């Protein structure tokens, strides 16, 4: 299973934001998902068919726009002999811009994780849900459902739940016949239950020990058995240590797996947030130190520290949304760069050159997302990068109080 890096997630998230901001006047934006297993030839036939179907669209402009979008995809498809490793997604169409105008946009995205299903959609917005699913945490969790009758072992990879093992027991019901044999019956039942738990414990431990990446395990079931099973130590201690929480579920079979995931989802989010909080707390503790502080923050200081190679951990707010603009004078080649927020970028117009005062204004030569700039620098110097959401007070303070960029140094230095 491919894990996406935080950086890939961020890039994908930004791309999705961009796609979502595009709106068609009518149903004229096309989304096409091509999984790696699909033959390009088949995709082409599919599009040809869509093309002839679309000739029937009543509105003249919509028809024209849809047909040109399909044509555009078909011409782009020619560059592929076969789909890339993870498949490819096309988003093409005429989006509405100011007034009554439309503008043709085309995105070709090779996702960081394989696409599984072929999908064609023509709508007034781009269909981004399958890509968005990649963004939900792809961490791996173990799932166990147990009572005296059934035991189900499953795994959650990202948003996908898999059944790994389903077992049923021979343990008789608690209520036997009355009379003298009652005690003997109960004793036999308890022995059978114990054997059942031993068997389940061994199987569960064996399954999860072969899954190295498991972040934690959730246990569910309808009665008190699950608690008993966990507390009595039927699981291997390494597996036992990974149990995050125990929940009540109505089912202990495959249905129960989905149920368990849904009740445990809050714990999973908390886990992510608590990881972010932890690293932020480390930073905040350094900030308050009056001497030998390892904290550094703000664009210029963090950049300098990164260039010096002394940042151990880089903290970037997920909501940073800033760019560095590279400006150049076309007459004297004077250049400068400046940081600007995404909101200000729309209305930004370069000024005259401060050096030669040329009558033509400076031009924007290039722009780079600060997250990319800083992550690249961090990668070069082996600093760990944490993208921090604003879902915790600590995460919010990174954005609000430290301009979204901070670092923990390897050793204390005056910058
Ligand atoms: Zn100049």
């Amino acid at each position: 299973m491919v894990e996406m890096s935080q950086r890939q997630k961020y890039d994908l998230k930004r791309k999705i934001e961009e796609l979502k901001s595009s709106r068609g006047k009518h149903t004229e934006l096309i989304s096409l998902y091509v999984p790696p297993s699909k033959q390009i030839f088949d995709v082409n036939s599919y599009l040809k068919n869509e093309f002839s179907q679309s000739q029937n669209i009543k509105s003249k402009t919509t028809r024209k726009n849809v047909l040109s979008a399909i044509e555009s995809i078909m011409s782009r498809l020619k560059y592929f002999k076969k789909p890339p490793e993870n498949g490819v997604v096309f988003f093409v169409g005429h989006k509405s811009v100011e007034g009554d105008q439309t503008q043709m946009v085309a995105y070709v995205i090779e996702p960081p994780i394989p696409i599984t299903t072929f999908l064609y959609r023509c709508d007034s917005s781009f269909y981004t849900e399958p890509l968005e699913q990649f963004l939900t945490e792809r961490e791996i969790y173990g799932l166990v459902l147990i009572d005296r009758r059934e035991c189900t072992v499953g795994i959650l990879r990202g948003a996908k739940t898999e059944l790994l093992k389903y077992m049923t027991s021979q343990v008789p019901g608690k209520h036997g016949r009355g009379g003298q044999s009652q005690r003997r019956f109960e004793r036999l039942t308890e022995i059978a239950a114990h054997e059942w738990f031993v068997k389940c414990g061994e199987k569960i431990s064996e399954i999860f020990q072969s899954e190295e990446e498991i972040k934690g395990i959730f246990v569910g079931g309808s009665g008190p058995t699950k608690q008993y099973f966990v507390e009595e130590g039927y699981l291997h201690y390494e597996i036992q240590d990974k149990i995050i929480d125990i929940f009540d579920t109505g089912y202990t079979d495959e249905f129960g797996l989905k149920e368990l995931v849904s009740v445990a989802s809050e714990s999973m989010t908390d886990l992510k947030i608590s990881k972010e909080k932890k690293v932020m707390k480390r930073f905040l503790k350094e900030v308050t130190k009056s001497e030998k502080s390892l904290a550094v923050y703000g664009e210029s200081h963090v950049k300098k520290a990164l260039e010096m190679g002394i940042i151990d951990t880089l903290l970037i707010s997920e909501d940073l949304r800033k760019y560095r603009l590279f400006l150049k004078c076309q007459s004297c080649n004077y250049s400068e760069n400046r940081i600007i927020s995404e909101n200000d970028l729309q209305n930004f117009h370069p000024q005259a050159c401060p050096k030669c005062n040329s009558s033509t204004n400076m031009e924007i030569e290039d722009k780079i997302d600060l997250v990319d700039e800083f992550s690249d620098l961090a990668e070069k110097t082996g600093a760990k990068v944490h993208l921090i959401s604003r879902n915790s007070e600590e995460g919010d303070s990174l954005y609000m109080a430290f301009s979204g960029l901070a670092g923990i140094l390897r050793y204390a230095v005056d910058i």
Side-chain angles (χ1 to χ4, degrees):
M1 171 60 56
V2 200
E3 272 283 323
M4 263 165 86
S5 69
Q6 286 198 64
R7 175 77 175 282
Q8 285 176 313
K9 272 186 200 163
Y10 173 82
D11 288 343
L12 188 60
K13 194 175 151 195
R14 295 302 308 269
K15 196 50 94 186
I16 292 170
E17 281 174 12
E18 207 178 317
L19 287 163
K20 282 186 136 174
S21 69
S22 302
R23 291 275 152 193
K25 262 203 175 49
H26 306 282
T27 55
E28 53 191 45
L29 298 184
I30 296 177
S31 313
L32 176 72
Y33 286 73
V34 183
S37 57
K38 192 85 177 171
Q39 303 278 334
I40 294 294
F41 176 81
D42 292 336
V43 183
N44 236 321
S45 322
Y46 188 96
L47 290 174
K48 273 183 193 154
N49 185 41
E50 281 298 331
F51 190 86
S52 60
Q53 300 266 330
S54 305
Q55 313 268 10
N56 303 325
I57 296 172
K58 285 209 178 70
S59 150
K60 199 181 153 199
T61 17
T62 310
R63 182 172 65 234
K64 204 180 106 234
N65 288 347
V66 170
L67 292 177
S68 76
I70 298 177
E71 273 182 323
S72 160
I73 298 178
M74 285 170 81
S75 72
R76 281 160 213 276
L77 213 53
K78 285 190 189 127
Y79 295 102
F80 294 92
K81 277 201 179 71
K82 58 181 178 107
E85 206 182 353
N86 295 328
V88 58
V89 196
F90 299 91
F91 297 100
V92 182
H94 287 75
K95 71 169 184 181
S96 312
V97 284
E98 279 165 63
D100 238 13
Q101 302 297 103
T102 60
Q103 185 198 341
M104 174 85 157
V105 285
Y107 301 87
V108 182
I109 296 175
E110 290 185 27
I113 291 174
I115 301 163
T116 47
T117 34
F118 177 78
L119 191 146
Y120 173 94
R121 196 164 286 196
C122 186
D123 213 328
S124 56
S125 57
F126 287 126
Y127 182 65
T128 53
E129 276 81 352
L131 290 182
E132 281 168 64
Q133 272 192 12
F134 292 155
L135 291 180
T136 54
E137 282 306 299
R138 299 195 59 82
E139 280 154 359
I140 301 173
Y141 294 96
L143 307 167
V144 174
L145 296 158
I146 189 163
D147 64 10
R148 289 161 79 98
R149 318 260 352 144
E150 291 175 311
C151 176
T152 307
V153 186
I155 205 155
L156 177 71
R157 299 180 204 275
K160 215 170 141 227
T161 313
E162 275 171 57
L163 170 72
L164 298 180
K165 182 88 188 166
Y166 174 70
M167 297 179 281
T168 52
S169 80
Q170 304 296 324
V171 182
K174 279 206 168 174
H175 305 288
R177 296 142 290 176
Q180 216 187 13
S181 60
Q182 180 66 20
R183 287 206 52 178
R184 181 177 140 75
F185 176 81
E186 275 174 14
R187 197 158 49 80
L188 287 175
T189 303
E190 285 324 302
I191 290 169
H194 172 73
E195 279 166 0
W196 163 243
F197 294 147
V198 170
K199 183 181 157 194
C200 292
E202 282 172 4
K203 198 70 212 173
I204 295 164
S205 302
E206 182 195 318
I207 291 171
F208 288 150
Q209 275 174 321
S210 65
E211 291 280 350
E212 282 171 24
E213 304 289 329
I214 283 188
K215 286 214 93 99
I217 295 169
F218 295 102
V219 180
S222 55
T225 304
K226 54 186 182 297
Q227 202 81 38
Y228 177 84
F229 174 75
V230 170
E231 280 163 10
E232 292 301 306
Y234 284 103
L235 291 163
H236 188 280
Y237 70 95
E238 284 171 5
I239 300 304
Q240 178 100 12
D241 281 351
K242 290 193 174 171
I243 293 175
I244 299 173
D245 217 340
I246 301 174
F247 294 98
D248 280 319
T249 59
Y251 297 92
T252 36
D253 58 5
E254 200 176 348
F255 290 107
L257 289 180
K258 289 246 156 65
E259 222 189 326
L260 182 59
V261 168
S262 115
V263 288
S265 64
E266 205 170 308
S267 294
M268 287 181 251
T269 315
D270 289 350
L271 211 67
K272 181 181 182 272
I273 295 172
S274 79
K275 236 170 59 188
E276 294 180 1
K277 281 171 85 128
K278 210 167 133 192
V279 66
M280 275 306 295
K281 278 187 174 149
R282 244 178 80 204
F283 165 75
L284 292 169
K285 202 178 140 202
E286 291 300 329
V287 166
T288 56
K289 280 188 189 166
S290 52
E291 52 184 42
K292 295 209 169 159
S293 165
L294 297 177
V296 59
Y297 51 87
E299 286 133 13
S300 60
H301 281 170
V302 172
K303 190 171 183 204
K304 196 166 168 208
L306 277 171
E307 283 164 349
M308 289 165 77
I310 55 168
I311 287 200
D312 173 72
T313 304
L314 176 67
L315 307 165
I316 310 178
S317 172
E318 267 182 13
D319 291 306
L320 191 64
R321 304 289 182 275
K322 280 183 190 165
Y323 293 92
R324 187 184 300 279
L325 293 185
F326 295 90
L327 304 165
K328 195 170 178 187
C329 169
Q330 299 305 303
S331 14
C332 76
N333 278 340
Y334 167 82
S335 65
E336 64 173 40
N337 69 72
R338 64 162 71 190
I339 288 165
I340 187 165
S341 74
E342 194 167 51
N343 289 336
D344 295 339
L345 190 60
Q346 298 259 340
N347 305 310
F348 177 78
H349 300 290
Q351 302 293 306
C353 170
K355 197 176 159 203
C356 73
N357 250 315
S358 151
S359 56
T360 51
N361 288 337
M362 305 223 294
E363 278 179 23
I364 300 174
E365 290 257 290
D366 202 3
K367 80 171 207 279
I368 179 169
D369 189 322
L370 277 196
V371 173
D372 288 327
E373 181 185 293
F374 280 81
S375 316
D376 280 344
L377 275 172
E379 252 163 57
K380 277 183 202 145
T381 55
K384 295 184 274 291
V385 182
H386 289 266
L387 281 167
I388 309 277
S389 74
R390 291 177 69 185
N391 295 332
S392 69
E393 204 183 307
E394 291 82 355
D396 197 46
S397 78
L398 175 65
Y399 179 82
M400 298 298 288
F402 301 100
S403 67
L405 276 168
I408 303 170
L409 300 174
R410 297 183 207 272
Y411 45 85
V413 178
D414 271 335
I415 292 168

